[in-house]
């Protein structure tokens, strides 16, 4: 029975999960199948999310904060040569932000350069960015505040002019558009969160997306323990060369599945989360 709404007294939550039987049924299927780590539903979600955004690669993680960590960590890899991020580099961001947009840079020894936000949009003032760029500036990393796009025209101009990386934190902005393009498809990497306060939820959960094959390779390494092997969870010898590698000073034929080329993490999510998220994704247009 619905309670009567009383103005000024009835509590209205600002956000929260909205779901029906499909989310529950999907989670029950995972429980019955007994494959509880990343699996069938994670793969399905990644495929559907790629189609929705129009990007080439999606990597699911256990939170939006982890997505930001993986996104920045990926750019520290030696595979990017002189362009890789390293301790002492500067990155441009804003203090009007959630801390986990800034923390990964600090964790990897980068120096945040804070640009204030505009009062009308709560997004960074793009006119102040160019004055803050120095020879040490390598990255712009910030969120589209509360789903409102920051000035991507001006920021992409600066990214190209000064050869910078751009990480779009889209944790509040799933489905928002800029000049007809869905946010998360314009920078080098984008991150999303599936916490209950956002457009769709898995309880916890997040995603890192890109259309660059080399960046995606690095994202997967840092997400999956730093592992050099690209076999999926529970898969072996996908390349048919598992024992045919000669890397560094390791013995010839050393098991490639247990070679680690980065100091990485295990930030994958469970198939329970992905199963709930897949049902949520179908309702995203209505949610938005």
């Amino acid at each position: 029975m619905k309670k009567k709404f009383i103005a000024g007294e009835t509590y209205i939550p600002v956000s929260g999960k909205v779901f029906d039987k499909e989310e529950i049924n999907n989670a029950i299927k995972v429980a019955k199948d007994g494959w509880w780590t990343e699996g069938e539903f994670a793969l399905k979600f990644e495929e559907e999310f790629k189609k929705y955004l129009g990007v080439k690669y999606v990597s699911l993680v256990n939170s939006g904060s982890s997505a930001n960590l993986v996104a920045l960590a990926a750019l520290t890899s030696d595979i990017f040569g002189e362009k890789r991020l390293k301790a002492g580099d500067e990155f441009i961001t804003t203090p009007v932000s959630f801390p986990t947009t800034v923390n990964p840079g600090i964790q990897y020894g980068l120096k945040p350069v804070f640009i204030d936000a505009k009062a009308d949009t709560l997004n960074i003032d793009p006119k102040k960015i160019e004055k803050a760029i120095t020879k040490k500036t390598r990255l712009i990393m910030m969120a589209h505040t509360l789903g409102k796009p920051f000035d991507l025209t001006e920021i992409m101009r600066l990214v190209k002019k000064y050869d910078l990386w751009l990480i779009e934190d889209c944790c509040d902005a799933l489905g928002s558009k800029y000049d007809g393009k869905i946010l998360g498809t314009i920078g080098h990497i984008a991150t999303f969160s599936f916490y209950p306060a956002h457009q769709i939820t898995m309880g916890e959960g997040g995603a890192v997306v890109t259309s660059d094959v080399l960046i995606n390779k690095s994202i997967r390494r840092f997400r999956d323990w730093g592992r050099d092997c690209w076999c999926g969870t529970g898969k072996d010898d996908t390349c048919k060369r598992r024992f045919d590698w000669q890397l560094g000073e390791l013995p010839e034929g050393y098991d490639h599945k247990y070679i680690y080329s980065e100091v990485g993490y295990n930030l994958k999510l469970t198939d329970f989360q992905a199963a709930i998220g897949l049902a949520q994704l179908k309702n995203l247009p209505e949610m938005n």
Side-chain angles (χ1 to χ4, degrees):
M1 183 177 178
K2 289 185 177 181
K3 293 181 179 179
K4 183 180 179 181
F5 174 78
I6 303 173
E9 295 183 18
T10 304
Y11 174 70
I12 302 173
V14 296
S15 66
K17 57 190 177 296
V18 177
F19 64 95
D20 58 29
K21 62 183 180 180
E22 187 170 359
E23 283 86 343
I24 304 302
N25 288 341
N26 281 2
I28 290 171
K29 184 179 186 303
V30 174
K32 287 183 174 180
D33 288 347
W35 189 270
W36 297 353
T37 185
E38 179 187 66
E40 170 193 354
F41 282 101
L43 293 174
K44 286 181 180 177
F45 185 97
E46 288 179 348
E47 286 301 317
E48 292 303 315
F49 205 53
K50 277 192 279 189
K51 292 176 186 176
Y52 175 78
L53 293 175
V55 297
K56 292 182 179 179
Y57 307 105
V58 173
S59 295
L60 284 173
V61 291
N62 56 11
S63 72
S65 298
S66 292
N68 283 337
L69 175 60
V70 170
L72 187 134
L75 298 180
T76 68
S77 175
D78 287 340
I79 63 176
F80 298 111
E82 289 299 312
K83 196 175 179 182
R84 72 181 182 90
L85 298 179
K86 57 187 181 300
D89 288 342
E90 295 177 355
F91 70 105
I92 288 175
T93 189
T94 172
V96 184
S97 174
F98 200 67
T100 55
T101 307
V102 179
N103 290 349
I106 296 172
Q107 287 172 251
Y108 276 88
L110 278 69
K111 178 185 176 182
V113 176
F114 291 110
I115 307 292
D116 203 1
K118 297 172 69 176
D120 57 344
T121 65
L122 300 180
N123 275 317
I124 199 167
D125 186 344
K127 294 179 181 178
K128 296 179 180 178
I129 294 177
E130 193 158 16
K131 294 178 182 178
I133 294 175
T134 72
K135 291 180 179 179
K136 291 185 177 181
T137 307
R138 307 298 298 277
L139 166 71
I140 298 175
M141 180 174 180
M142 57 192 180
H144 298 285
T145 308
L146 300 177
K148 294 178 289 185
F150 51 71
D151 188 342
L152 277 158
T153 300
E154 174 62 13
I155 288 169
M156 285 305 298
R157 181 186 75 81
L158 297 173
V159 165
K160 292 173 183 176
K161 180 177 179 180
Y162 294 99
D163 193 23
L164 307 177
W165 296 109
L166 174 61
I167 298 176
E168 293 180 72
D169 181 337
C170 301
C171 289
D172 284 333
L174 178 53
S176 292
K177 293 183 179 180
Y178 181 89
D179 196 22
K181 296 179 180 178
I182 294 180
L183 296 185
T185 63
I186 299 167
H188 296 94
I189 308 177
T191 59
F192 294 88
S193 172
F194 306 126
Y195 190 71
H198 297 130
Q199 284 81 6
I200 63 172
T201 186
M202 299 178 180
E204 299 286 353
V208 191
V209 311
T210 185
S211 287
D212 185 288
V213 63
L214 201 58
I215 293 175
N216 179 62
K217 183 178 181 179
S218 188
I219 287 168
R220 285 283 176 166
R221 282 180 176 178
F222 278 94
R223 189 199 71 154
D224 297 358
W225 303 280
R227 180 173 277 168
D228 197 72
C229 169
W230 49 263
C231 286
T233 304
K235 303 292 184 182
D236 290 315
D237 204 20
T238 310
C239 66
K240 306 302 180 186
R241 293 186 58 205
R242 181 174 174 180
F243 301 100
D244 294 340
W245 297 86
Q246 170 62 62
L247 296 175
E249 298 178 3
L250 291 171
E252 185 177 353
Y254 193 95
D255 189 347
H256 187 233
K257 188 167 184 179
Y258 295 100
I259 293 174
Y260 303 88
S261 52
E262 304 287 356
V263 179
Y265 311 91
N266 176 13
L267 297 176
K268 299 190 303 299
L269 81 178
T270 68
D271 226 35
F272 289 102
Q273 292 167 275
I276 291 168
L278 189 65
Q280 290 268 298
L281 191 56
K282 292 180 180 179
N283 295 322
L284 178 57
E286 183 182 352
M287 295 285 198
N288 278 343

